[in-house]
Amino acid sequence: MDDDTDNHPEAHDHAVVLGAGLAGLLAARALAQRFARVTVVERDELPDTGPAFRPGVPQSRHVHVLWSRGLELMEELLPGVTRELLAAGAALLESPRDFLWLSSADWFRQVPGSRILVGSRELIDWTVRREVLRDERIRIRAGSTATGLVAGPDGRSVAGVLLREGGPLPARFVVDATGRTSRAPAWLAALGHPAPATTRYDSRLGYSSRYYEVPPDPARRWQGMYVQGRPDSPRGGVLVPLDDGRWLATLIGNGEHAPPTGDEEFLEYTRSLRTPALYDALRDAKPLSSPTGFRSTANEWRHYERLDRWPAGFVVLGDAACRFNPVYGHGMTVAALAADALAGAIRGLAPREIAAAARRIQRRTATAADVAWQIATSEDMRYRETEGPPPDRATKVLQAYMSRVIVGANADPEISRPFFGVLSLSASPNTLLSPGTVIRVLSKWRLPTAPEAAAYPPHHPGPPDSGS
């Protein structure tokens, strides 16, 4: 059978996206601006009755945040999606203003920061999927598994995908957004393309998460909490509000400090953190679930963008190309950045031109991960448990400088603004290296000499029964 799209008129203006996660859905929306039809192929069944857990997103039961830049880009692709997310139960908060946040240095004061959207991953995916499917050019084939790529007439280009259920699905352009389980290296090898080089850093970070009913407390003046770990105390925790009066608590630890998944051990672990604040918040809260663990948190970049030869008609993006330690909260924002890069790369091109430009598109979308990768890997390299290339001299200098930046960002608005601009992926890291910022950091802020921060920040009264 000849699978050249020229012999399949229905494929001329057809794109296929593999994976209905956030990266795949946003990519489908971007492609629909240039293709008459876009088919999203998803292995999981996707109930349309409301948010629900699915095996293809195993990390969904843990805390997720969408930084301001990611939300802005999603709104550009899907006008009105922010309103729909908030109506469905997500919350738009100001970080660090609405949080008790103990950084690696000290408690954040009430300094300028960044907006973040918090909500269950199930709710975010379901809401975005519903908005994407308002576009009649996009449809989803759920419960369908891709097993390979259809070769073009030259044997090396891509002209569609092979499905376990239904055989070949011709397409002018194929995007792999299947996440960490992507089989793109094997599929490319079958077409005669080399495997990409891979860079990997694994800090052996583990998660354990549990849902709680929010206990009434009229005196509570915060919406969420973040207790960061650090190399000498690699245990932390995050607490965020969800819809229906729930909290989601995620415990975090590296290596042998990975948090437990037992009911009693979960709360006990919070006693070992650098502050009693999370324990005080949860001790009288009613659990709504048993703890759930997650351990696949390595940073891994498959460098498709470095390959000298690349097949026409194929692009890999999202976690399938580059994934990060999720503790920094950048996965969803990078998915939005990649979709925006894809939309920019194909703007004004006809479907045939898009297929021919696949190598350039692959390189352009890869740059969406640059800053998040730099943040995640440079921070993970601080931990002795981390497996991967050791930090070079430049990285060590940057780490030392960033330690002082964080001290300043805790209390100094002139440093917190660029710090959160970079952390939210809204600004270039170079903003923290401007002459004015460097002079302010080095002249005004030093690493703390005290062994530890106070149990609670100055603007917080402490636990309800402390009498303080």
Side-chain angles (χ1 to χ4, degrees):
M1 177 180 180
D2 185 354
D3 289 304
D4 181 6
T5 54
D6 288 336
N7 292 322
H8 291 279
E10 73 278 8
H12 285 181
D13 213 1
H14 181 217
V16 169
V17 177
L18 305 178
L22 205 63
L25 291 170
L26 296 178
R29 174 62 182 138
L31 291 170
Q33 298 174 10
R34 305 307 306 162
F35 287 86
R37 294 188 302 122
V38 180
T39 302
V40 180
V41 176
E42 171 53 48
R43 180 183 59 187
D44 291 343
E45 295 292 344
L46 299 173
D48 58 5
T49 55
F53 174 81
R54 63 185 181 90
V57 192
Q59 72 275 25
S60 70
R61 290 189 172 118
H62 308 280
V63 168
H64 280 73
V65 300
L66 180 62
W67 287 99
S68 56
R69 184 56 178 155
L71 188 61
E72 291 165 2
L73 294 175
M74 280 177 49
E75 185 68 27
E76 290 179 13
L77 281 170
L78 299 166
V81 70
T82 304
R83 178 185 64 249
E84 296 300 320
L85 285 164
L86 297 178
L92 194 57
L93 304 179
E94 187 74 20
S95 178
R97 184 192 66 192
D98 294 329
F99 286 78
L100 297 185
W101 183 341
L102 179 59
S103 78
S104 56
D106 203 345
W107 292 99
F108 272 101
R109 282 22 176 203
Q110 297 295 288
V111 292
S114 172
R115 292 190 311 161
I116 61 170
L117 182 131
V118 297
S120 72
R121 179 60 187 270
E122 295 93 339
L123 181 143
I124 294 171
D125 278 8
W126 177 71
T127 304
V128 171
R129 185 166 72 244
R130 187 177 58 179
E131 293 303 300
V132 166
L133 290 177
R134 293 186 190 278
D135 189 327
E136 295 182 353
R137 294 166 293 188
I138 303 172
R139 66 189 184 100
I140 293 182
R141 289 183 59 161
S144 189
T145 304
T147 59
L149 301 172
V150 174
D154 61 0
R156 291 181 178 272
S157 61
V158 173
V161 295
L162 296 171
L163 302 181
R164 183 174 297 156
E165 309 80 4
L169 178 62
R172 176 71 73 183
F173 194 68
V174 176
V175 171
D176 179 2
T178 54
R180 65 188 69 242
T181 62
S182 169
R183 297 187 60 216
W187 293 350
L188 289 171
L191 298 182
H193 295 278
T198 299
T199 305
R200 192 172 192 273
Y201 291 89
D202 186 358
S203 67
R204 298 175 59 214
L205 180 133
Y207 274 178
S208 183
S209 296
R210 194 176 198 181
Y211 297 95
Y212 286 85
E213 182 180 294
V214 178
D217 181 3
R220 187 183 301 120
R221 298 203 296 265
W222 49 268
Q223 297 293 315
M225 187 182 303
Y226 183 17
V227 180
Q228 284 186 248
R230 61 189 189 189
D232 65 341
S233 182
R235 296 186 178 198
V238 189
L239 184 68
V240 297
L242 299 182
D243 53 292
D244 299 330
R246 297 180 298 159
W247 273 340
L248 177 56
T250 293
L251 305 182
I252 306 163
N254 296 74
E256 63 184 18
H257 296 276
T261 56
D263 289 348
E264 295 182 5
E265 294 85 354
F266 187 91
L267 183 61
E268 189 61 27
Y269 187 92
T270 64
R271 288 180 178 269
S272 67
L273 304 188
R274 296 165 51 214
T275 168
L278 188 56
Y279 171 77
D280 289 337
L282 295 180
R283 62 184 178 179
D284 295 322
K286 178 183 177 182
L288 299 177
S289 71
S290 293
T292 300
F294 186 70
R295 296 292 185 269
S296 182
T297 60
N299 306 284
E300 186 171 271
W301 193 324
R302 293 173 173 173
H303 295 286
Y304 295 110
E305 78 284 358
R306 295 180 183 174
L307 293 177
D308 292 330
R309 289 188 293 108
W310 186 255
F314 185 58
V315 163
V316 184
L317 54 72
D319 282 1
C322 184
R323 59 189 177 101
F324 317 92
N325 184 337
V327 74
Y328 306 104
H330 286 144
M332 294 193 296
T333 297
V334 171
L337 285 165
D340 180 67
L342 174 63
I346 67 177
R347 188 170 294 121
L349 299 181
R352 181 185 293 274
E353 295 172 316
I354 293 171
R359 183 184 181 192
R360 176 173 59 83
I361 296 170
Q362 184 66 51
R363 291 178 172 176
R364 182 163 175 175
T365 56
T367 62
D370 284 346
V371 176
W373 177 263
Q374 180 181 342
I375 292 172
T377 57
S378 62
E379 289 302 307
D380 278 4
M381 277 189 271
R382 295 179 186 269
Y383 292 82
R384 61 177 178 82
E385 298 91 348
T386 298
E387 301 168 359
D392 56 21
R393 181 174 177 80
T395 299
K396 291 179 179 179
V397 170
L398 180 62
Q399 288 174 334
Y401 175 68
M402 286 305 301
S403 293
R404 293 175 69 165
V405 167
I406 292 170
V407 174
N410 283 162
D412 187 343
E414 296 304 313
I415 299 176
S416 75
R417 288 191 185 93
F419 173 79
F420 278 98
V422 174
L423 189 60
S424 65
L425 306 185
S426 300
S428 165
N430 290 335
T431 60
L432 289 171
L433 299 175
S434 68
T437 301
V438 171
I439 291 171
R440 191 175 185 90
V441 168
L442 297 183
S443 64
K444 186 174 181 180
W445 298 103
R446 301 286 189 271
L447 297 180
T449 56
E452 189 50 88
Y456 276 86
H459 62 278
H460 188 275
D465 61 352
S466 68
S468 59

